[in-house]
Amino acid sequence: MSLILAVNAGSSSLKYQLYEANDFTVLASGQIERIGKEDAIASIKVDGNKEKKVIPILDHTRAVEVALSDILEFSSVKNLDDIKGVGHRVVHGGEAFDNSVIVDDAAIAKVEELSSLAPLHNPANLIGYHAFKDALKEANHTFVFDTAFHQTMEPKAFLYALPYKYYEDYQVRKYGMHGTSHKYIAKRTAELLDKPIEDVNTIVCHLGNGASLAAIKGGKVIDTSMGFTPLAGVMMGTRTGDVDPAVFPYLLEKTGLSVDEQMHVYNYESGMLGISGISNDAREIEEATAEGNERAILTSEMYAYKIANYIGTYFVHLGHVDAIVFTAGIGENDTGVRARVIDSVSEALHINFNHELNSKVRGVEVELSEEGSTTKVFIIPTDEELMIAEDTKKLLGL
Ligand code: ADP
């Protein structure tokens, strides 16, 4: 038996999904939260049954031990040597990686070097890698990068109009994020349309706590909304999205906040939370909007407007759009967001939107457009773990 583990290691969390390599049957999925704490939470799901415990897990090495012993205890897997491949999500691959790679010393060194571009994420991804490398003697490892799928963007799309030397000397440019999700959705959309991916133009709306859109032409990203960091693009749960850069120094002067404090405002106190003053959670915004709360209504309208702006731009560059796809927590579940976004663009893109169906469906793969739509609309639940597992299988020849 050949198994593949897809791993997403964060600074205080570890998520994993275990697959049968032959047909990608999911044998177990689990997560460890609050790594570093006495009351860390370890959970594992097998065949729809969830086991959960609160125990001290003080570092990633221990987290990996707990995850692997949970797999042995609760899943059908009885020998960890069957795990032949481990795919690790790595947030930033810079310009060095336009695809997933088998891990070697050079790849590790490069990911370490790129930590300056993702200081919160790349080091945590590497800690996860080392912990699994030590624990699983029979496995080979791959890195799957969040930025890689966006590397097809041309310079005219990814450069900022700063002096060119800042790109040359400091690699300042648009990288984009959520690439693994966008890649999965592009592939799945082509399957649903029953067309070769080379013939399909898609706008993917990955709307979770973090949110990004991508314009994908024939399977290649031509533009995406996140930038040098995940702060750019559309409005998010607590992040600003695009703001005139001159606002930053202006507010420093007016508020007396430090650069770090102001960055905190941009990252954690803005977006839906900042505008509504209620919550960063789309569910609460939706409820307050329904109750007639004015700031919630404004938040809902702004959120859809910013997304529609990007859809409009991408529509122009794509020429025609076969499908707009909603995915991630908000995209899959928030009926109000989907309706407002599509209402904003349906005239331009000739969409016949099935409002009634939209209001009823959450978290399922479904078409929301009706007969006669030039552009189709889908919900496709994202599956980044499956992409990681597929790339790992391909690279390792499992
Ligand atoms: P992350 O970017 O952390 O991976 P997710 O893709 O899991 O985020 O999305 C999380 C967000 O999805 C939540 O903060 C919430 O706003 C939204 N969400 C989840 N379920 C629903 C729902 N039923 N209705 C509306 N929004 C939802």
Side-chain angles (χ1 to χ4, degrees), residues 208-210 281-283 328-330 333-334 362:
N209 282 318
D281 193 307
R283 282 164 287 209
I330 295 171
N333 295 298
D334 196 316
R362 292 186 170 80

Side-chain angles (χ1 to χ4, degrees), residues 232-244:
V234 293
M235 172 178 174
M236 302 176 218
T238 60
R239 286 176 231 161
T240 55
D242 299 331
V243 179
D244 179 341

Side-chain angles (χ1 to χ4, degrees), residues 318-374:
L318 288 169
H320 77 271
V321 182
D322 294 295
I324 294 175
V325 185
F326 290 98
T327 194
I330 295 171
E332 290 166 31
N333 295 298
D334 196 316
T335 59
V337 164
R338 290 193 303 251
R340 284 187 288 274
V341 168
I342 296 301
D343 283 348
S344 308
V345 301
S346 60
E347 193 178 341
L349 283 121
H350 305 291
I351 295 169
N352 296 334
F353 191 57
N354 189 334
H355 278 276
E356 201 194 331
L357 178 62
N358 175 60
S359 68
K360 289 185 197 147
V361 285
R362 292 186 170 80
V364 289
E365 193 173 89
V366 64
E367 181 181 345
L368 297 175
S369 42
E370 293 181 321
E371 205 52 39
S373 259
T374 308

Side-chain angles (χ1 to χ4, degrees), residues 244-369:
D244 179 341
V247 170
F248 200 90
Y250 177 78
L251 279 181
L252 285 185
E253 193 193 326
K254 289 288 175 196
T255 60
L257 296 178
S258 68
V259 169
D260 281 353
E261 287 166 341
Q262 184 70 9
M263 276 308 281
H264 193 273
V265 172
Y266 271 55
N267 273 302
Y268 299 106
E269 298 171 36
S270 301
M272 290 200 221
L273 174 63
I275 295 295
S276 70
I278 298 169
S279 172
N280 65 320
D281 193 307
R283 282 164 287 209
E284 289 181 45
I285 302 299
E286 213 53 68
E287 275 168 33
T289 298
E291 286 161 7
N293 180 300
E294 278 182 25
R295 291 265 292 281
I297 293 168
L298 173 63
T299 305
S300 296
E301 288 176 351
M302 259 179 88
Y303 191 80
Y305 185 88
K306 308 281 181 195
I307 292 168
N309 266 345
Y310 273 95
I311 291 177
T313 307
Y314 292 166
F315 168 42
V316 170
H317 290 308
L318 288 169
H320 77 271
V321 182
D322 294 295
I324 294 175
V325 185
F326 290 98
T327 194
I330 295 171
E332 290 166 31
N333 295 298
D334 196 316
T335 59
V337 164
R338 290 193 303 251
R340 284 187 288 274
V341 168
I342 296 301
D343 283 348
S344 308
V345 301
S346 60
E347 193 178 341
L349 283 121
H350 305 291
I351 295 169
N352 296 334
F353 191 57
N354 189 334
H355 278 276
E356 201 194 331
L357 178 62
N358 175 60
S359 68
K360 289 185 197 147
V361 285
R362 292 186 170 80
V364 289
E365 193 173 89
V366 64
E367 181 181 345
L368 297 175
S369 42

Side-chain angles (χ1 to χ4, degrees), residues 64-80:
V64 168
E65 280 170 15
V66 171
L68 294 176
S69 76
D70 279 358
I71 286 172
L72 284 178
E73 185 177 349
F74 297 111
S75 81
S76 57
V77 177
K78 293 302 160 223
N79 186 355
L80 292 177

